[in-house]
């Protein structure tokens, strides 16, 4: 008999991104890869289906329109699902919200895992903190 956690993970996996319409999945992947927005309703649908790139795209859209608590929630879910780009976006959002220490923490985590954009963001943040530029 499987444990509760294993059963939940099994059900979640079956209900997750596999349930997402292939056309929508392709649009989300393209938006994610190219850094362009898609309609919020479509991004929300992908995020609710458990698609980690959908969660990131939806979180970015929410942050762009100023819905910061919701953006933090969805980006946090994307990070928990293993999305390194969501970590960088989360760091950027914290920086925009005036919390450079939290931003640095997220950038460092992503940089430690090999994200090149996070390394650049971390260097810029440290240079700005030390008065070496913008």
């Amino acid at each position: 008999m499987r444990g509760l956690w294993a059963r939940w993970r099994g059900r979640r996996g079956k209900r997750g991104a596999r349930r997402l319409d292939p056309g929508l999945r392709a649009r989300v992947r393209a938006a994610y890869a190219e850094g362009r927005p898609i309609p919020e309703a479509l991004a929300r649908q992908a995020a609710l289906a458990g698609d980690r790139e959908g969660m990131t795209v939806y979180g970015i859209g929410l942050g762009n329109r100023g819905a910061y608590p919701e953006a933090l929630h969805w980006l946090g879910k994307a990070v928990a699902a293993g999305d390194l780009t969501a970590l960088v976006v989360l760091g950027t959002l914290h920086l925009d919200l005036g919390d450079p220490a939290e931003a640095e923490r997220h950038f460092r985590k992503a940089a430690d895992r090999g994200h090149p954009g996070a390394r650049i963001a971390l260097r810029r943040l440290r240079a700005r903190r030390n008065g070496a530029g913008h």
Side-chain angles (χ1 to χ4, degrees):
M1 183 161 156
R2 296 186 327 169
L4 181 62
W5 176 251
R7 287 192 311 246
W8 180 83
R9 292 285 297 165
R11 283 196 310 268
R12 186 177 182 279
K14 291 175 188 167
R15 287 186 307 209
R18 291 184 202 119
R19 202 175 71 176
L20 195 59
D21 172 62
L24 177 56
R25 182 181 298 178
R27 285 184 74 178
V28 168
R29 297 287 181 277
Y32 182 86
E34 297 167 12
R36 61 180 170 75
I38 61 172
E40 187 174 319
L42 295 178
R44 184 176 193 276
Q45 183 181 352
L48 289 172
D51 184 80
R52 78 176 185 191
E53 285 88 359
M55 291 178 210
T56 301
V57 170
Y58 186 47
I60 291 169
L62 290 167
N64 285 342
R65 72 172 172 86
Y68 301 121
E70 287 180 88
L72 292 170
H73 168 77
W74 284 104
L75 291 168
K77 287 178 73 89
V79 167
D83 191 354
L84 286 181
T85 299
L87 255 177
V88 176
V89 174
L90 197 54
T92 304
L93 185 58
H94 279 289
L95 193 58
D96 291 347
L97 293 172
D99 190 354
E102 189 67 13
E104 184 175 359
R105 187 174 74 84
H106 292 298
F107 292 150
R108 190 178 318 109
K109 278 184 185 178
D112 289 348
R113 293 181 187 157
H115 193 284
R119 290 184 186 128
I120 293 168
L122 196 54
R123 260 194 317 267
R124 287 183 181 165
L125 179 62
R126 289 177 178 162
R128 193 163 96 185
R129 182 181 60 214
N130 296 329
H134 302 305

